[in-house]
Amino acid sequence: MRKKEMKLVITFHTTADAMAMEKRCKTEKMEGRLIPVPRILSAGCGMAWACPPLDPEQLTRWMQERHLRYESIQECLV
């Protein structure tokens, strides 16, 4: 079983938004992966992007510049 660590978790309204995030992050070699939305959070599509803790404002700017849509950005143990 994987040890739980503090991560930044980005939730999405749609699966297409989650897949777009995954594709862009892989292209730009950003660390992270798609995960099922943790139980303590809720999201429209049930998928989330988990990455090491980053500055949420900087990540929000990065996503906006790339026209990536998201529902919320939160820190939690995953």
Side-chain angles (χ1 to χ4, degrees), residues 17-70:
D17 292 337
M19 301 300 283
M21 178 70 169
E22 179 184 43
K23 183 177 181 179
R24 180 59 76 143
C25 288
K26 284 185 177 184
T27 299
E28 297 191 25
K29 306 222 184 316
M30 284 189 61
E31 189 176 349
R33 64 189 178 96
L34 280 180
I35 63 168
V37 174
R39 291 177 198 221
I40 62 170
L41 305 177
S42 65
C45 77
M47 297 176 77
W49 182 260
C51 62
L54 304 168
D55 176 14
E57 290 179 18
Q58 184 179 11
L59 181 61
T60 299
R61 246 186 337 275
W62 181 86
M63 291 177 70
Q64 288 172 344
E65 289 169 0
R66 288 152 180 84
H67 307 287
L68 296 168
R69 296 177 295 189
Y70 65 95

Side-chain angles (χ1 to χ4, degrees), residues 1 7 10-12 22 38-39 47 62 67 72 75:
M1 189 151 162
K7 298 279 186 179
I10 304 156
T11 60
F12 304 93
E22 179 184 43
R39 291 177 198 221
M47 297 176 77
W62 181 86
H67 307 287
S72 70
E75 281 192 25

